[in-house]
Amino acid sequence: MKKNIFIICGPTASGKSRFALNLTNKINGEIINADSMQIYKELKILSARPDASDLKKAKHHLYGYVKGKQRYNVEKWCKDATKEINLLSKKNKTPILVGGTGLYIDTLINGISPIPSIPEYMKKESSKLFEKFGNEKFYEYVKKIDERSVKLISKNDIQRLKRIWEVFEYTNKKFSSWKKNNNKKFIDTYNCKIILFLPERKENYKRVNKRTISMIEKGALNEIKNLLELNYNKNLPIMRAHGVPEISSYFAKKISLDECISKIQSVTRHYVKRQNTWWRSSKLQILHKFYEFADEIDVKSANFD
């Protein structure tokens, strides 16, 4: 019989972490991060990583363990997450993955195309090309290279547009052609129980706004000041995390603190909207779908069999 893995997912600021924390006691579980920004060592406050109190209540894995200067990606996370899942399983602990990064979760469950690793110099070239062309022209340019792949993503999905270009330039083979190959599997020997939270969007937005202010009060400005002093490449994923560009603009005296907070709230709300769209269209097999906030649901009364 396959062992269970629980995956708690949904938009940011919907209470996933609180629900997962309560679930650990019911199913003898430990928590594994499935958020693409909470992996970074330098982003504790701005990525809303579990605090000291949460860490005392349950063991947490894959939080703050990657330096921002590294170009981390979904395949690396899948390998790291699979390793943690296997270790917990051997200890008879139930893995509970928590996060809103749909690409991470979808890839972990369904596998990934065996595309060769793209070298750093090629990633820098794609960034230069994007800066030269701009969003609209770069989109049209990549569309001519691989229309099938481009049709599946948003015009504003810069990372995936770059990825499509990089794969073609480096391998001389379209990304869509690589995708036809059999996927590399990660956790097909486990039974995935997915719990999805899709709270009412306006209430979710209110939480985002409130949490942004709380982050500033807890020291997010100083956190990003320390990050900027490391002089990381601006094209690295960590430098594009929600709040980093906005706080950077504040330190550069381009915007006021109030404008900075407002912009962070705005980009995060837009992210929540995109997350809602992604999860609503997801074809993953959902065990439970809750239209409430996770920390308002009684874990004891929920059926997870």
Side-chain angles (χ1 to χ4, degrees):
M1 181 182 292
K2 290 184 177 181
K3 290 188 176 182
N4 290 333
I5 297 173
F6 283 81
I7 300 174
I8 317 301
C9 51
T12 191
S14 59
K16 299 183 298 295
S17 297
R18 184 67 49 221
F19 180 86
L21 202 59
N22 292 332
L23 182 61
T24 57
N25 293 325
K26 177 167 179 135
I27 61 172
N28 188 32
E30 293 184 13
I31 295 172
I32 300 173
N33 171 44
D35 181 283
S36 62
M37 289 298 118
Q38 290 185 338
I39 64 168
Y40 290 115
K41 180 180 179 180
E42 299 87 346
L43 289 186
K44 183 177 182 179
I45 299 170
L46 206 61
S47 69
R49 279 193 350 229
D51 59 23
S53 174
D54 294 336
L55 297 177
K56 287 180 181 178
K57 294 175 183 175
K59 286 190 176 181
H60 290 64
H61 307 271
L62 304 188
Y63 288 90
Y65 75 109
V66 177
K67 289 186 177 180
K69 65 181 178 181
Q70 293 180 241
R71 280 194 180 273
Y72 199 76
N73 59 37
V74 62
E75 184 174 9
K76 289 180 181 178
W77 177 81
C78 285
K79 289 178 179 178
D80 290 342
T82 302
K83 182 179 178 181
E84 294 294 338
I85 289 167
N86 291 336
L87 287 172
L88 291 180
S89 181
K90 287 179 181 178
K91 295 192 298 182
N92 291 318
K93 293 284 186 177
T94 303
I96 304 172
L97 287 92
V98 186
T101 305
L103 178 63
Y104 274 22
I105 292 167
D106 182 73
T107 305
L108 182 69
I109 294 170
N110 294 317
I112 191 170
S113 298
I115 302 172
S117 296
I118 304 300
E120 187 67 22
Y121 77 85
M122 189 61 69
K123 294 178 180 180
K124 289 180 179 178
E125 285 299 314
S126 68
S127 294
K128 287 179 182 177
L129 197 63
F130 176 78
E131 289 175 6
K132 177 183 176 182
F133 284 171
N135 200 340
E136 190 69 31
K137 287 185 178 179
F138 186 71
Y139 173 84
E140 293 299 331
Y141 178 67
V142 178
K143 187 177 179 181
K144 290 179 181 178
I145 292 173
D146 189 352
E147 186 174 5
R148 179 177 293 179
S149 293
V150 171
K151 278 184 175 181
L152 298 175
I153 63 175
S154 163
K155 278 189 175 183
N156 298 317
D157 196 337
I158 300 167
Q159 286 304 110
R160 287 188 176 88
L161 284 173
K162 287 181 180 179
R163 174 74 169 158
I164 294 166
W165 180 86
E166 291 162 2
V167 168
F168 179 74
E169 286 295 314
Y170 184 65
T171 68
N172 200 31
K173 183 176 176 180
K174 293 180 181 180
F175 185 82
S176 55
S177 297
W178 281 105
K179 292 288 283 184
K180 292 178 182 178
N181 297 331
N182 291 329
N183 282 4
K184 174 184 177 181
K185 298 291 185 178
F186 295 101
I187 56 169
D188 53 330
T189 58
Y190 292 90
N191 179 36
C192 295
K193 291 180 176 288
I194 305 173
I195 300 170
L196 173 64
F197 289 91
L198 289 173
E200 199 279 322
R201 199 175 298 179
K202 287 185 179 180
E203 289 300 316
N204 207 162
Y205 288 166
K206 288 179 182 178
R207 284 200 172 197
V208 164
N209 292 343
K210 185 178 180 180
R211 191 171 75 173
T212 300
I213 294 171
S214 176
M215 287 174 173
I216 297 297
E217 292 173 346
K218 289 178 180 178
L221 295 179
N222 193 53
E223 180 173 81
I224 302 310
K225 182 181 179 182
N226 293 335
L227 173 63
L228 295 174
E229 288 174 354
L230 296 173
N231 293 316
Y232 286 162
N233 188 309
K234 292 182 180 179
N235 292 316
L236 288 168
I238 192 173
M239 301 307 292
R240 296 192 302 273
H242 298 145
V244 175
E246 293 75 24
I247 294 176
S248 299
S249 293
Y250 165 69
F251 283 131
K253 298 183 179 179
K254 293 180 180 178
I255 57 175
S256 68
L257 181 56
D258 285 344
E259 288 174 315
C260 172
I261 293 171
S262 179
K263 285 179 179 290
I264 295 172
Q265 291 170 331
S266 178
V267 297
T268 310
R269 289 196 303 269
H270 278 96
Y271 179 54
V272 167
K273 184 178 180 180
R274 293 197 303 273
Q275 284 180 304
N276 265 279
T277 301
W278 194 93
W279 286 111
R280 287 179 187 278
S281 63
S282 173
K283 292 180 173 59
L284 295 175
Q285 297 298 311
I286 310 298
L287 173 66
H288 290 299
K289 190 180 291 186
F290 293 123
Y291 293 92
E292 302 173 61
F293 283 99
D295 51 6
E296 296 170 358
I297 295 171
D298 184 5
V299 173
K300 293 180 181 179
S301 64
N303 177 22
F304 301 115
D305 295 331

